């Protein structure tokens, strides 16, 4: 395991040129002290790695040094072929390039490793779209992707939920995110990073003006933070519920993860009758009613009174239909 870590450390320095001990430790999921020992071991083995002190310092390899430890193992090749997203590549206008790259990788692999990689692609398929919904129409995705790659400003005409519905903005595209079949653009506007759904962009004009990306911007970290803030903004109210044992079991299948996590975190019980009280974040009374009706007789709304009243009114109206 340590040998594999040393190889990975070496390849990281080769790919990224300079990394701090903390960055290496975070990437390899070890302590900084372990990184110090590993770097020392590489030096003893003859690898020209050295450290530079200071704020801009870190470990790096001697200029021009390249390792030949880049051959893929069979399992690494299998994992590589599982990372393919042919549909996403096609949407970005890179279908031909993605196919060519895969063929080049296949040609460079030994025969036995190539066969295992092909079997992996034959046996596992990634479908990123959601059930029972059509894919977003994204005619402007390709030029936006080009602008993102080339760091060019873009003028977009965008359809949003708030009033005024249609707006025009000049944005600096920092990254694209594909989430369950839906493409999003993360772009800077007036010094602030915002998120735009690509399918709601009505017109696009790529400008000649270029821009510098925000220093230290990490797309994955920004997106995770955005999702957390989005849930916090959306879930403005809280409901107190009582759930039967069956209701507790059905939670993950009926509610979104943020609501399930909150329910599990606040659960009190079960009581003698088998019911558990939970606190559930909700967007509004109107949106909570259909969500809770999914539970049928396995849920009771304790508070707020407005939600309890609306559930009662809905159930009485339903009863009159079937009476």
């Amino acid at each position: 395991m340590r040998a594999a870590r040393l190889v990975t450390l070496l390849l990281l320095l080769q790919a990224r040129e300079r990394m701090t001990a903390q960055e290496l430790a975070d990437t390899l999921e070890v302590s900084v002290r372990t990184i110090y020992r590993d770097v020392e071991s590489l030096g003893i083995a003859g690898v020209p790695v050295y450290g530079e002190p200071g704020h801009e310092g870190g470990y790096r390899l001697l200029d021009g040094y390249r390792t030949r430890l880049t051959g893929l193992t069979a399992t690494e090749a299998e994992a590589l072929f599982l990372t393919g997203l042919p549909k996403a590549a096609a949407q970005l206008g890179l279908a031909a390039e993605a196919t060519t790259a895969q063929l080049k990788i296949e040609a460079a692999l030994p025969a036995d490793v190539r066969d295992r990689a092909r079997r992996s692609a034959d046996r596992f398929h990634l479908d990123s779209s959601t059930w029972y919904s059509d894919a977003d129409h994204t005619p402007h995705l390709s030029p936006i992707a080009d602008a993102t790659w080339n760091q060019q400003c873009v003028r977009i005409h965008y359809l949003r939920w708030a009033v005024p519905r249609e707006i025009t903005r000049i944005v600096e595209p920092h990254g694209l995110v594909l989430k369950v079949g839906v493409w999003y653009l993360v772009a800077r506007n007036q010094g602030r990073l915002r998120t735009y759904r690509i399918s709601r962009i009505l017109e696009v004009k790529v400008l000649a003006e270029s821009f510098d990306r925000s220093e230290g911007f990490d797309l994955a970290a920004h997106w995770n933070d955005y999702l957390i803030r989005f849930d916090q903004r959306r879930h403005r109210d809280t409901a107190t519920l009582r759930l039967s044992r069956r209701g507790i079991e059905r939670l993950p299948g009926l509610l979104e993860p943020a609501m399930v996590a909150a329910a599990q975190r606040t659960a009190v019980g079960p009581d003698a009758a088998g019911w558990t009280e939970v606190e559930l974040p909700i967007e509004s009374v109107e949106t909570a009613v259909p969500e809770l009706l999914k539970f049928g007789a396995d849920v009771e709304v304790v508070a707020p009174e407005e939600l309890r009243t609306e559930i009662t009114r809905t159930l009485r109206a339903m009863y009159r239909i079937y009476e």
Side-chain angles (χ1 to χ4, degrees), residues 123-309:
R123 287 162 173 75
F124 299 96
H125 173 68
L126 173 61
D127 183 358
S128 60
S129 59
T130 58
W131 287 98
Y132 314 121
S133 63
D134 295 329
D136 267 10
H137 183 56
T138 55
H140 304 302
L141 178 59
S142 184
I144 289 175
D146 287 340
T148 303
W149 180 257
N150 296 312
Q151 295 183 208
Q152 290 177 270
C153 296
V154 177
R155 180 186 294 115
I156 62 173
H157 189 56
Y158 188 71
L159 179 65
R160 63 178 186 174
W161 300 108
V163 176
R165 297 289 307 281
E166 296 187 18
I167 58 172
T168 299
R169 284 179 176 169
I170 295 178
V171 301
E172 300 168 346
H174 275 52
L176 290 165
V177 176
L178 176 62
K179 182 175 177 61
V180 289
V182 179
W183 283 98
Y184 295 91
L185 168 66
V186 177
R188 187 172 58 195
N189 171 255
Q190 298 181 344
R192 179 182 174 186
L193 287 168
R194 303 174 185 272
T195 301
Y196 305 90
R197 184 165 174 163
I198 298 291
S199 62
R200 299 183 69 82
I201 295 178
L202 305 177
E203 295 178 19
V204 168
K205 180 175 177 57
V206 179
L207 307 178
E209 179 185 356
S210 61
F211 67 93
D212 293 324
R213 287 165 60 85
S214 300
E215 185 177 353
F217 175 74
D218 184 320
L219 180 59
H222 171 82
W223 182 255
N224 288 334
D225 290 342
Y226 169 79
L227 293 180
I228 293 172
R229 294 195 305 271
F230 179 77
D231 280 336
Q232 290 173 344
R233 291 194 306 271
R234 186 165 56 92
H235 292 145
R236 295 165 296 183
D237 296 318
T238 302
T240 303
L241 313 175
R242 292 178 70 243
L243 290 167
S244 68
R245 287 192 176 93
R246 184 167 177 267
I248 291 292
E249 293 173 356
R250 298 174 66 198
L251 265 174
L254 296 180
L255 298 180
E256 60 186 79
M259 301 174 78
V260 174
Q264 294 172 340
R265 186 173 59 251
T266 60
V268 177
D271 58 19
W275 288 70
T276 300
E277 187 169 290
V278 302
E279 298 288 329
L280 200 70
I282 61 172
E283 190 171 345
S284 65
V285 168
E286 290 75 16
T287 59
V289 170
E291 291 291 315
L292 297 180
L293 287 176
K294 298 176 187 176
F295 287 87
D298 291 314
V299 65
E300 178 193 356
V301 175
V302 178
E305 187 61 35
E306 181 185 1
L307 176 57
R308 185 180 175 93
T309 300

Side-chain angles (χ1 to χ4, degrees), residues 316-323:
R316 284 174 175 164
M318 292 173 66
Y319 177 75
R320 284 195 297 270
I321 293 174
Y322 291 98
E323 186 179 13

